[in-house]
Amino acid sequence: GEIVFQLGIPGEPLIPGISDLRGLTTVRETCAVIEHSKLLLSVSTFIEIVSDHYKTPAIILYGYLSPDITGWPNNYNMTAGVDCSPCWEREPCKHKKCMDKITVDMVMEKIGELLKW
C-alpha cells in the first residue's frame, strides 16, 4: 500500500490515519520526501516550487493568493473561483468561502486523475 505523509509545523491539525512528519524534517529532508513522492497536496507555500522542480505532480489549493501570479506550470492549481479571491490578505477572512468551496470531492477527483485510480 501507499504511505501518506503529513509535512508541516507542529501544532497544525493532524489528518487521521496519516504518517506524521510535522516538525520532524529539515528543509532538505522535506525536499527529499517531495522528490520521491507520487503526489503532493498543499496550499500555496515554498513546497509547490519544490514539487515543480522535481516534476512531482501537485495539487495546490488557492484561496487568498492567485495561481496566475504564484502558480507553477507543473502543478494543478485549484481555486474555488469566488468573486473575492484573490484578496491577498494573509489573515483569514471571516467567511473563507475561497477555501470552503474547494470540496473534498473536488480534491479526491483530481487525486484520482493524477494517480490514475
Side-chain angles (χ1 to χ4, degrees):
E2 302 296 326
I3 300 172
V4 179
F5 295 102
Q6 182 174 345
L7 299 165
I9 58 174
E12 289 180 340
L14 178 63
I15 300 168
I18 292 181
S19 297
D20 186 7
L21 292 179
R22 297 169 303 148
L24 301 176
T25 58
T26 64
V27 171
R28 178 174 275 172
E29 291 166 338
T30 297
C31 292
V33 169
I34 293 168
E35 177 184 10
H36 297 284
S37 293
K38 290 183 179 180
L39 178 72
L40 170 70
L41 172 62
S42 179
V43 294
S44 182
T45 64
F46 91 95
I47 61 176
E48 72 184 297
I49 301 166
V50 175
S51 68
D52 184 76
H53 173 77
Y54 289 117
K55 307 295 186 264
T56 299
I59 299 169
I60 307 299
L61 308 179
Y62 277 89
Y64 70 92
L65 297 176
S66 170
D68 295 334
I69 305 295
T70 62
W72 291 86
N74 289 311
N75 298 340
Y76 178 79
N77 301 313
M78 186 175 279
T79 65
V82 296
D83 59 352
C84 59
S85 179
C87 67
W88 301 98
E89 297 291 329
R90 259 201 180 300
E91 294 300 317
C93 66
K94 292 177 185 157
H95 50 76
K96 299 185 297 180
K97 65 182 178 180
C98 60
M99 292 303 280
D100 290 343
K101 290 199 181 241
I102 300 173
T103 66
V104 171
D105 287 342
M106 292 166 62
V107 173
M108 292 304 293
E109 182 177 334
K110 184 50 69 175
I111 289 172
E113 287 175 29
L114 293 174
L115 295 180
K116 297 178 182 23
W117 286 351

